């Protein structure tokens, strides 16, 4: 074999592992599910009881299978590994918006879900806000807080309440009491109404 052809053959053989590795990396990223960072905010009100819902919510989202949840908790193996490897700041149990935005940026998640469930006088007030991964846009919001007026279920687009979509959502899925309180709401669980 002439020298020129032998070197070309070596180059082709040595390039093959690189091509295989690149294809594996591309296929892994193409088929990876988007990630959602789930944070359960804790009330600072001494008379309120925080109802732990973060773990169960992460489990349900994982079972649904459309996104991969990462729970803001040292019990979550992914989150804990990032903190222990110092890829994230030290753990804070009740983070503020700035801390959440920083961690979401470092993790490069597609979504951020901030939830709260507080029980006072035997009434649980759930709240949830779904943001894009940068936390610059609110994608969905459900707020139930006396300080913000009557409980409400709203649809937000580009950070603003879409009144028309909100009305349509309430008429189709929710039962609202005379005082404006959200009594029940139909949600889809694995594509089925619940």
């Amino acid at each position: 074999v002439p020298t020129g052809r032998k070197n070309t053959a070596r180059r082709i053989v040595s390039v093959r592992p690189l091509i295989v590795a690149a294809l594996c990396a591309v296929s892994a990223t193409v088929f990876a599910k988007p990630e959602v960072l789930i944070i359960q905010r804790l009330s600072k009100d001494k008379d309120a009881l925080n109802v732990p819902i973060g773990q169960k919510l992460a489990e349900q989202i994982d079972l649904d299978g459309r996104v991969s949840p990462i729970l803001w908790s040292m019990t979550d193996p992914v989150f804990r590994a990032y903190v222990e490897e110092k890829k994230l700041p030290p753990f804070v149990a009740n983070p503020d918006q700035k801390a959440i935005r920083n961690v979401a940026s470092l993790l490069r998640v597609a979504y951020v879900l901030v939830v709260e469930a507080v029980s006072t006088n035997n009434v649980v007030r759930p709240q949830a806000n779904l943001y894009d991964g940068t936390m610059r846009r609110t994608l969905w919001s459900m707020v139930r807080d006396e300080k913000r007026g009557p409980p409400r279920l709203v649809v937000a687009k580009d950070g603003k309440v879409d009144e028309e979509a909100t009305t349509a959502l309430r008429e189709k899925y929710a039962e609202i009491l005379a005082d404006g309180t959200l009594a029940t709401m139909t949600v889809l669980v694995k594509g089925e109404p619940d």
Side-chain angles (χ1 to χ4, degrees):
V1 175
T3 308
R5 288 186 184 177
K6 194 173 188 182
N7 288 340
T8 304
R10 282 186 193 159
R11 275 189 242 135
I12 291 172
V13 170
S14 65
V15 171
R16 283 186 187 154
L18 294 174
I19 293 171
V20 170
L23 289 174
C24 289
V26 168
S27 66
T29 57
V30 168
F31 298 112
K33 292 185 274 187
E35 294 176 318
V36 58
L37 177 62
I38 302 169
I39 300 98
Q40 179 167 359
R41 281 257 174 87
L42 304 174
S43 173
K44 295 177 182 175
D45 183 356
K46 293 179 183 177
D47 297 327
L49 173 66
N50 290 293
V51 180
I53 61 169
Q55 184 68 39
K56 188 64 178 170
L57 184 60
E59 289 172 11
Q60 284 302 126
I61 288 173
D62 192 39
L63 284 174
D64 184 59
R66 287 183 245 180
V67 292
S68 295
I70 299 174
L71 182 62
W72 185 292
S73 170
M74 292 303 280
T75 62
D76 184 286
V78 173
F79 188 84
R80 184 180 64 242
Y82 277 114
V83 171
E84 289 174 351
E85 293 169 8
K86 300 194 185 322
K87 292 180 181 176
L88 293 179
F91 176 72
V92 176
N94 199 16
D96 60 11
Q97 287 291 98
K98 184 179 178 183
I100 295 169
R101 186 176 287 118
N102 181 37
V103 168
S105 173
L106 291 170
L107 292 176
R108 297 182 181 166
V109 293
Y111 306 102
V112 176
L113 179 61
V114 180
V115 297
E116 183 178 308
V118 178
S119 176
T120 51
N121 301 326
N122 295 325
V123 175
V124 177
R125 290 187 324 271
Q127 298 186 75
N129 290 292
L130 179 66
Y131 303 96
D132 69 348
T134 64
M135 291 192 68
R136 290 191 179 109
R137 287 190 315 132
T138 302
L139 304 175
W140 179 84
S141 178
M142 184 181 127
V143 178
R144 186 172 183 174
D145 188 352
E146 288 118 18
K147 295 175 188 171
R148 298 183 190 179
R152 57 197 176 111
L153 171 67
V154 297
V155 175
K157 290 184 181 173
D158 296 325
K160 297 179 182 174
V161 175
D162 183 331
E163 296 295 341
E164 188 176 312
T166 297
T167 301
L169 179 74
R170 288 179 179 180
E171 288 173 357
K172 187 171 182 180
Y173 294 109
E175 179 185 335
I176 308 291
L177 300 178
D179 65 356
T181 303
L182 178 66
T184 61
M185 177 183 165
T186 302
V187 295
L188 297 180
V189 177
K190 294 190 178 182
E192 297 297 322
D194 187 354

